[in-house]
Amino acid sequence: RKPKSQALHNRKKRSNFRSRITNDQIKKAYRKQAQLYHPDKLAARRKRLHEATNSTNDYSSDDAKTSKESLKHDPLANMTIEEATSRFAQIAEAYQVLSDPVQRYEYDWELLEMEDEWEEERLLMEEERREKEKYQQHHSQYERRQQSFNNNEEWSLYDKIKNG
């Protein structure tokens, strides 16, 4: 297991990384995701997909082919309005938490605690795995000794002499 001081050091390191993310970076990521999942934008995306798949234009140009293929395989094009609305609400809630310093601190603290719990659980599972391997190794050595003892010819010779 890691010493407590090393785990604390890793926790501080992760916390420092999160605190280096600026509000401008958060706002930029929010705007990008909000535009991507906005229900109105989804309707426009579907309209473009419909036009691209049903148009009778000449698809001989490479740009038109790649545009049509990219829209056809766009996962957001198959998303329902309800899914987009739900996702948009999640993004708005995340932005609200991350833009408020107090809520962000609480969120980071909870996240760090969860990561510490996961690390502790991972270390316990690793320790259990090592113990199981150790048990299996000792058990197989015991079985080999038993088999060797049972197959030993000296004992059968001893039994012959003793029993006459």
Side-chain angles (χ1 to χ4, degrees):
R1 290 180 71 155
K2 286 184 182 179
K4 201 72 160 168
S5 61
Q6 187 178 2
L8 183 61
H9 171 72
N10 289 341
R11 184 179 191 160
K12 287 179 181 176
K13 196 173 171 182
R14 291 190 309 261
S15 180
N16 287 339
F17 172 75
R18 286 192 184 96
S19 64
R20 284 185 277 164
I21 299 172
T22 65
N23 286 337
D24 289 338
Q25 291 171 320
I26 292 170
K27 188 181 287 187
K28 184 179 178 181
Y30 165 72
R31 286 182 178 163
K32 183 178 180 181
Q33 290 294 308
Q35 283 184 345
L36 189 64
Y37 288 100
H38 195 282
D40 294 339
K41 300 284 185 179
L42 181 66
R45 186 183 293 258
R46 282 192 174 160
K47 184 178 178 182
R48 281 197 320 259
L49 177 65
H50 183 70
E51 289 171 356
T53 54
N54 293 334
S55 66
T56 57
N57 295 342
D58 180 25
Y59 290 112
S60 59
S61 71
D62 290 336
D63 291 339
K65 286 181 183 177
T66 56
S67 175
K68 182 178 178 182
E69 286 299 313
S70 66
L71 283 172
K72 195 183 287 186
H73 299 292
D74 185 1
L76 297 176
N78 297 325
M79 185 178 274
T80 65
I81 298 294
E82 292 80 21
E83 290 172 336
T85 304
S86 172
R87 182 73 173 151
F88 184 75
Q90 288 174 348
I91 293 166
E93 183 182 350
Y95 177 71
Q96 183 181 7
V97 169
L98 294 176
S99 62
D100 179 26
V102 174
Q103 287 182 339
R104 183 176 177 187
Y105 177 80
E106 291 172 357
Y107 172 78
D108 283 347
W109 188 257
E110 288 174 13
L111 195 59
L112 288 171
E113 286 180 346
M114 282 181 10
E115 288 175 352
D116 286 346
E117 289 172 5
W118 292 337
E119 180 67 14
E120 190 173 313
E121 189 175 321
R122 187 191 66 79
L123 291 172
L124 286 172
M125 289 174 63
E126 182 69 24
E127 190 175 326
E128 287 176 5
R129 185 188 58 79
R130 274 191 245 116
E131 289 293 325
K132 187 176 179 181
E133 287 176 357
K134 188 176 178 181
Y135 170 79
Q136 288 174 344
Q137 184 181 16
H138 286 294
H139 187 69
S140 64
Q141 287 176 353
Y142 173 77
E143 285 180 343
R144 283 195 303 268
R145 281 192 211 123
Q146 282 294 104
Q147 192 174 20
S148 169
F149 179 76
N150 290 339
N151 293 336
N152 197 339
E153 291 180 13
E154 293 176 10
W155 288 105
S156 61
L157 181 62
Y158 172 77
D159 286 340
K160 285 180 185 177
I161 293 172
K162 183 179 172 190
N163 294 331

